[in-house]
Amino acid sequence: MNTVILAVVAYLIGSVSFAVIVSRAFRLPDPRTYGSGNPGATNVLRSGRISAAVITLLGDVFKGWIAVWLAARFAAPTDAELTMALAAALAVIGHMFPAFHRFQGGKGVATALGVLFGFHLYIALGAASTWVIMVGFFRMSSLASITAAAFAPFATWMFYGWSHPFFASVMMVAVLLIYRHYANIKKILAGTESRLGAKAKP
């Protein structure tokens, strides 16, 4: 498989919305129709079904990781790192703009964590720890996600340097992720952002 094919495969993997699939399986409302309207684990949690939210989270993390793993496994050795970097970015883009769900996707946080696991265990654990710490203090998933996104490029630079394809990929993902949280940033500044665990309003 060449780089282009693997990049397309990564996008299609990213386009699988576990929030929508799991919600249908649990006979829950479409996560795009309540709460933040975001098809992700945090919004599924607002349905009150913790198990559905956990499965959604794991599924979104897994698809990010598997996209990078497939790139590492099947790319030519000379192109492996570049292909992994492209696959990582496109998996997250697929989650944000999924071909299978009318391009109405989520914000990419869990999928971004998955691609970090594909790059380096310690980078992923550092980003996850940043998210957990921020949630513990502020109980706002959006703020935690923005902070973790800002941390990830710095951690990637520490392990791989500025010129490595992984750094460019993580930087692109971080910028996209923060951009997707633009509305949340305005709510945080206004003091109206919802807290983690709050149920959706009927």
Side-chain angles (χ1 to χ4, degrees):
M1 288 187 180
N2 59 32
T3 298
V4 174
I5 293 174
L6 288 166
V8 171
V9 168
Y11 169 75
L12 294 176
I13 291 172
S15 291
V16 177
S17 177
F18 279 92
V20 174
I21 294 171
V22 171
S23 293
R24 288 174 182 170
F26 278 76
R27 298 183 179 180
L28 299 172
D30 189 316
R32 295 168 293 185
T33 64
Y34 64 83
S36 66
N38 177 58
T42 300
N43 208 35
V44 173
L45 183 63
R46 293 189 176 102
S47 71
R49 294 294 294 272
I50 296 175
S51 56
V54 170
I55 294 171
T56 298
L57 174 65
L58 294 176
D60 284 345
V61 171
F62 174 76
K63 72 182 183 183
W65 173 82
I66 195 65
V68 176
W69 182 86
L70 288 171
R73 176 67 178 80
F74 293 104
T78 54
D79 299 327
E81 290 180 341
L82 176 60
T83 305
M84 290 168 67
L86 287 172
L90 284 168
V92 177
I93 290 172
H95 179 85
M96 294 177 175
F97 308 100
F100 305 135
H101 302 281
R102 301 178 183 177
F103 302 101
Q104 298 174 359
K107 294 174 181 174
V109 177
T111 304
L113 178 61
V115 303
L116 291 180
F117 273 113
F119 286 161
H120 199 290
L121 176 62
Y122 290 162
I123 295 174
L125 291 178
S129 298
T130 300
W131 189 92
V132 169
I133 291 169
M134 292 299 292
V135 164
F137 276 105
F138 299 101
R139 290 184 55 237
M140 286 189 285
S141 177
S142 56
L143 179 60
S145 299
I146 293 164
T147 306
F151 165 85
F154 174 73
T156 306
W157 164 73
M158 289 186 64
F159 280 95
Y160 294 104
W162 300 105
S163 61
H164 198 282
F166 289 179
F167 175 78
S169 179
V170 172
M171 179 62 76
M172 179 185 298
V173 168
V175 170
L176 285 171
L177 195 152
I178 293 172
Y179 171 75
R180 294 284 284 182
H181 281 82
Y182 176 73
N184 300 93
I185 293 171
K186 294 201 310 186
K187 290 180 181 179
I188 291 169
L189 294 176
T192 58
E193 179 67 328
S194 62
R195 302 283 174 168
L196 191 67
K199 291 187 178 181
K201 294 180 180 180

